[in-house]
Amino acid sequence: MITMKDIIREGNPTLRAVAKEVALPLSDEDIKLGEEMMEFLHNSQDPVKAEELGLRGGVGLAAPQLDISKRIIAVHVPNGDLENPEPTLSAVMYNPKILSHSVQDACLGEGEGCLSVDREVPGYVVRHNKITLSYVDASGVKQKIRLKNYEAIVVQHEIDHLNGVMFYDHINQENPYALKDGVLVIE
Ligand SMILES: Cc1nc(NNC(=O)[C@H](CC2CCCC2)CN(O)CO)c(F)c(N2CCN3CCOC[C@@H]3C2)n1
Ligand code: NI
């Protein structure tokens, strides 16, 4: 089971490497890894388990954060409306690829954090508001989906990890809260 000790922190060169595509058909090992990554997200969002296991909350995780330089991400984005238990997006994605994106940009009003970064880095992380994404799912089926707003932000943060990009690479050094016209701030 994945816990915080398995997550590498900034300074580890794997976080700055470009991860390799996984071979198809998916190996049992890669399928098992994806399952463990998703289990981590579920545990991290369960107050009792997160407390028990000392987990920081997570809505996404990328294999390089486990020192595994493979193009695998897991995302589990709960529904904003806590009454509705259905997550808005829950998937393990192999070889995810952004095919196209909106001109419109967006950022989280709260900024971003990262399980591999043990410090607050304030500022807006400007990303694409909408993306069209292809990936291979855990059953080995090629998927093509469109995401927007919060779900699109989460997936872009994870895909950045596959390319050695950290969220703070996007923050404007002069003025971390500088915003060009038309950037959607997602609260
Ligand atoms: C936005 C948010 N980021 C949390 N952490 N950071 C992460 O997930 C990093 C990835 C996210 C940072 C910004 C975009 C992607 C992990 N990253 O480093 C992987 O590369 C949260 F934990 C969180 N939520 C809201 C939903 N809540 C449901 C109940 O359980 C607690 C949970 C907390 N929202
Ligand atoms: Ni991260």
Side-chain angles (χ1 to χ4, degrees):
M1 173 178 61
I2 296 171
T3 59
M4 294 310 294
K5 69 175 179 359
D6 302 303
I7 294 177
I8 61 172
R9 308 301 153 92
E10 49 183 339
N12 187 316
T14 305
L15 287 173
R16 288 302 190 182
V18 175
K20 271 189 71 177
E21 291 220 329
V22 300
L24 299 174
L26 297 174
S27 66
D28 291 348
E29 180 191 5
D30 288 342
I31 291 171
K32 187 169 180 321
L33 175 59
E35 289 167 351
E36 289 183 334
M37 290 166 70
M38 183 57 80
E39 181 198 35
F40 170 86
L41 296 178
H42 289 158
N43 289 342
S44 83
Q45 294 184 21
D46 175 318
V48 174
K49 290 209 179 99
E51 163 79 23
E52 229 168 62
L53 298 164
L55 306 182
R56 274 180 61 187
V59 293
L61 189 66
Q65 293 181 278
L66 304 170
D67 210 8
I68 299 171
S69 200
K70 289 185 177 180
R71 301 187 81 80
I72 307 171
I73 67 173
V75 292
H76 187 71
V77 184
N79 205 296
D81 147 24
L82 287 181
E83 295 309 305
N84 177 348
E86 270 308 295
T88 56
L89 175 67
S90 184
V92 178
M93 301 181 177
Y94 296 90
N95 301 334
K97 187 172 168 40
I98 294 174
L99 301 175
S100 62
H101 60 80
S102 57
V103 170
Q104 168 89 51
D105 286 341
C107 64
L108 295 184
E110 311 267 304
E112 297 189 11
C114 183
L115 295 174
S116 296
V117 178
D118 294 327
R119 59 194 171 99
E120 299 269 319
V121 185
Y124 288 138
V125 180
V126 178
R127 298 185 185 277
H128 308 308
N129 180 223
K130 298 179 182 177
I131 57 173
T132 300
L133 178 72
S134 73
Y135 65 92
V136 173
D137 70 15
S139 315
V141 175
K142 188 142 186 190
Q143 302 288 345
K144 180 172 164 185
I145 61 171
R146 284 171 188 73
L147 297 172
K148 65 181 181 202
N149 301 334
Y150 183 41
E151 289 73 22
I153 298 274
V154 173
V155 167
Q156 289 173 81
H157 176 112
E158 304 316 327
I159 292 178
D160 266 358
H161 277 304
L162 305 183
N163 298 320
V165 175
M166 302 293 282
F167 74 92
Y168 45 71
D169 297 343
H170 299 283
I171 294 175
N172 180 316
Q173 296 309 315
E174 287 71 52
N175 172 359
Y177 291 101
L179 272 184
K180 291 196 189 99
D181 282 352
V183 177
L184 181 70
V185 179
I186 297 166
E187 295 304 346

